[in-house]
Amino acid sequence: MFAAPPRPLARFVFRRGSWQPPSPRALLSTIPTSIAGFLEWQNSDAADVVRVNGFVRSVRAQKKHHFVSLGDGSSLKSLQAVVPADQAEGLTIGAAVRLHGCWVPSQGSGQSHELQVLRADVLGPSDAKTFPLQKKYQTPEYLRTMPHMRARIPHNSALLRFRSETISTLTQFFNDRQFIQTHTPILTSSDCEGAGEVFHVTAGDERQQEAGDTAKTFFRRAVYTTVSAQLHLEALAQGLGNVWTLSPTFRAEQSDTPRHLSEFYMLEAEMSFTDNLSAVMDLVEDMLRHLGNKLAESRVVSELSFRTPGGLADMAPVDQVERRWSGLTREAWPRITYSEAIDILDNADESFAHKPQWGKDLHTEHERYIASRVSNGDTPVFVTNYPRDIKAFYMKPNTEESLGRSTPGETVECFDLLVPDFCEIAGGSMREHRLGPLLASMKRHGLETSFEEVTAADGSAQSPGNNLDWYLNLRRWGCPPHGGFGLGFDRLICYLSGVQTIRDTTVFPRWYGRCDG
């Protein structure tokens, strides 16, 4: 909320060419300071001494006055400024300006007040002929060619403000529950998923690499950019209790789809002294429900529901996005097992491009069908107990007692969270906290460890390619039962904003074949 506006300052006399800037004290006493604040300032009186900073979005020139639309990233709407023609020099589209004048009731429509400019300072000139963001519809594909300019588009700035508010709300959620926020490393010698789809980190220029100069390695072993903070969170949870992080992760998947990025953010949490997968799912459900309740009525969410004729193709329909928000706030999200999901897919009244089969991972088309059928598209759906062989090595196996029913094969205590219209946005599991079973699982997944003898083809001893000994050591020295989850933060922003592709949820997207800016 904005503070109550001050009493109008005493009017000053303005004569052409004789205007004097207000005193610093007067400037400090004027509010608000952002364009969003001015547009929400419903003061019936005029304010004489105001100063507005922003970028020129458009200019409509007339003989005596120029009508300038100004934005500063704080609002989807523009502020209208009426500038005398003799003060309008340099007010071209894209220019960074500071306008001094009076905030007075508007004679036109569109906003309650307008800025009657007394002096205009051009702080950063712009060449209108070459400025790439003209006042017309810009396609997402075109904007992705210039990521350094995308934040200047009002809708993109709204998305970034939505990201900021989401992070703030989630931070407060975890603070209220005594989770400790941590910062995990980006460079790691451990491949968490064991899938090999990682970026390798090398030092030196391309000429050294082409010459095969590998003697001078920066680190003593192979290093990757992280695919997940989970392993390090497990270590931190043994010293701090419940922990969480929001950090960048990297996947070297050659996937050119609207759901994949090579660099993206993951929200991950780890719960110590927890031996029940339901507790982890409860945390995810409570977190997203809290987010939906806190942000549903915020100004930025309202702005994201604004549609223009030229932008309808780039956003999900408003009623569809509203159903997504409503679903987050509902109680008791359905929880079904993977085996039950396969049964539902086998009995589906539609055909799939990929035939569902027990023991195989669910495809996007399967996930969307499950999310729409199980809850009628009203709420997210948890799918639990996936087959052991398609999940990561660190997941704890189920027992017949914990399953309560027979399945075609062995499963692990895990879940994926599926949301309507979209796909999986979160996944979690109980972690195998016992050393012996964890070693057996790693061997079954083909992961080497120096806990067992590793030999090269010539019979000589060598270090394993994946440094997980420290992770195994956690199981030797007081490792309690624990579990956690990871949520694709960019996918969540995509889902709740109505943006159709994850590439438009961040300013500088990186995906297969593209790393611009």
Side-chain angles (χ1 to χ4, degrees):
M1 298 294 292
F2 292 95
R7 290 176 298 176
L9 300 174
R11 290 187 175 274
F12 52 84
V13 177
F14 170 71
R15 298 183 179 87
R16 187 180 301 276
S18 63
W19 182 83
Q20 297 296 320
S23 68
R25 182 176 180 180
L27 283 176
L28 288 174
S29 67
T30 59
I31 58 171
T33 58
S34 69
I35 285 178
F38 277 104
L39 295 178
E40 292 185 353
W41 191 10
Q42 300 298 321
N43 183 25
S44 60
D45 298 322
D48 289 334
V49 182
V50 297
R51 182 179 67 186
V52 181
N53 298 322
F55 298 89
V56 176
R57 289 180 176 175
S58 67
V59 180
R60 180 164 55 90
Q62 293 187 353
K63 185 176 181 180
K64 294 184 178 181
H65 298 89
H66 288 197
F67 295 89
V68 178
S69 293
L70 207 67
D72 64 354
S74 67
S75 170
L76 200 64
K77 295 182 179 180
S78 300
L79 180 147
Q80 178 173 280
V82 182
V83 185
D86 61 353
Q87 289 287 326
E89 184 178 357
L91 297 184
T92 57
I93 186 170
V97 301
R98 175 174 295 149
L99 305 181
H100 307 266
C102 306
W103 185 242
V104 300
S106 177
Q107 300 300 316
S109 61
Q111 65 185 49
S112 64
H113 287 61
E114 64 187 12
L115 182 65
Q116 293 284 350
V117 176
L118 303 174
R119 192 186 78 189
D121 297 330
V122 177
L123 307 181
S126 172
D127 182 356
K129 293 181 180 180
T130 60
F131 186 69
L133 306 179
Q134 298 294 325
K135 190 181 179 182
K136 62 179 181 179
Y137 174 66
Q138 318 281 351
T139 67
E141 292 79 8
Y142 171 72
L143 293 174
R144 289 182 209 128
T145 65
M146 53 182 73
H148 56 291
M149 297 297 293
R150 291 211 300 175
R152 299 277 287 271
I153 296 293
H155 187 267
N156 282 0
S157 66
L159 270 175
L160 294 177
R161 284 185 282 115
F162 177 57
R163 284 181 72 105
S164 177
E165 289 193 21
T166 301
I167 293 170
S168 177
T169 302
L170 292 172
T171 300
Q172 189 60 54
F173 171 85
F174 283 111
N175 283 345
D176 291 344
R177 287 154 182 78
Q178 288 77 53
F179 276 70
I180 307 301
Q181 185 177 16
T182 62
H183 295 99
T184 51
I186 291 176
L187 301 182
T188 177
S189 56
S190 307
D191 174 8
C192 175
E193 300 297 331
E197 296 173 333
V198 296
F199 289 103
H200 293 252
V201 177
T202 60
D205 59 29
E206 295 181 357
R207 289 172 297 179
Q208 289 176 309
Q209 296 173 22
E210 291 173 358
D213 183 7
T214 58
K216 297 180 180 179
T217 55
F218 194 86
F219 299 101
R220 286 184 284 182
R221 62 183 311 125
V223 171
Y224 323 97
T225 52
T226 185
V227 299
S228 171
Q230 180 202 312
L231 303 190
H232 296 95
L233 283 180
E234 288 188 55
L236 293 170
Q238 289 190 207
L240 294 172
N242 295 342
V243 294
W244 76 286
T245 189
L246 178 62
S247 56
T249 55
F250 307 84
R251 301 287 172 92
E253 298 176 351
Q254 297 185 11
S255 299
D256 188 13
T257 77
R259 300 187 303 114
H260 289 88
L261 287 173
S262 299
E263 176 186 353
F264 56 97
Y265 271 74
M266 285 279 287
L267 187 156
E268 299 181 75
E270 200 70 25
M271 302 173 67
S272 191
F273 290 94
T274 297
D275 54 11
N276 190 335
L277 184 64
S278 293
V280 183
M281 290 189 285
D282 289 343
L283 177 66
V284 177
E285 187 172 337
D286 290 345
M287 177 190 72
L288 292 176
R289 185 178 296 114
H290 174 85
L291 182 68
N293 285 324
K294 288 292 184 181
L295 291 185
E297 302 302 323
S298 70
R299 177 170 62 85
V300 68
V301 171
S302 177
E303 287 182 329
L304 290 174
S305 68
F306 181 75
R307 298 289 188 271
T308 60
L312 286 176
D314 307 323
M315 301 285 289
V318 174
D319 59 343
Q320 186 181 64
V321 178
E322 289 177 346
R323 286 199 304 270
R324 295 174 181 178
W325 281 87
S326 176
L328 286 189
T329 60
R330 296 195 180 192
E331 299 292 332
W333 299 353
R335 299 177 182 183
I336 65 172
T337 66
Y338 168 89
S339 296
E340 291 171 335
I342 293 295
D343 290 341
I344 292 173
L345 294 170
D346 284 339
N347 296 315
D349 54 1
E350 64 179 77
S351 58
F352 300 105
H354 301 87
K355 180 178 174 57
Q357 180 181 351
W358 203 100
K360 300 293 184 180
D361 212 348
L362 299 180
H363 290 268
T364 300
E365 59 178 339
H366 303 149
E367 294 174 342
R368 287 177 175 164
Y369 183 85
I370 292 295
S372 64
R373 180 54 59 93
V374 173
S375 68
N376 295 318
D378 292 333
T379 67
V381 177
F382 289 100
V383 179
T384 66
N385 303 334
Y386 281 73
R388 177 192 66 185
D389 293 337
I390 64 173
K391 286 299 183 179
F393 72 93
Y394 50 73
M395 295 185 180
K396 185 179 179 181
N398 272 307
T399 63
E400 288 299 322
E401 292 77 14
S402 63
L403 284 173
R405 55 167 291 173
S406 60
T407 59
E410 295 190 49
T411 61
V412 288
E413 291 188 61
C414 68
F415 70 84
D416 282 350
L417 180 63
L418 314 182
V419 292
D421 313 319
F422 208 66
C423 60
E424 173 259 333
I425 64 168
S429 72
M430 296 302 299
R431 321 307 191 189
E432 179 54 80
H433 67 285
R434 302 161 297 176
L435 179 59
L438 181 59
L439 279 168
S441 178
M442 291 178 64
K443 187 174 183 179
R444 187 166 53 248
H445 283 79
L447 295 175
E448 301 169 337
T449 169
S450 61
F451 272 59
E452 299 176 349
E453 185 177 358
V454 180
T455 57
D458 60 3
S460 62
Q462 66 174 19
S463 297
N466 201 334
N467 177 28
L468 289 170
D469 288 351
W470 64 273
Y471 184 71
L472 291 168
N473 281 333
L474 294 175
R475 275 66 181 166
R476 297 176 61 190
W477 302 314
C479 184
H482 60 286
F485 72 90
L487 179 143
F489 186 73
D490 300 276
R491 284 189 179 183
L492 177 66
I493 297 297
C494 195
Y495 181 69
L496 294 180
S497 67
V499 171
Q500 299 286 52
T501 169
I502 195 173
R503 297 170 186 171
D504 294 331
T505 62
T506 181
V507 180
F508 299 98
R510 280 82 169 91
W511 72 95
Y512 179 57
R514 294 290 294 273
C515 184
D516 301 327

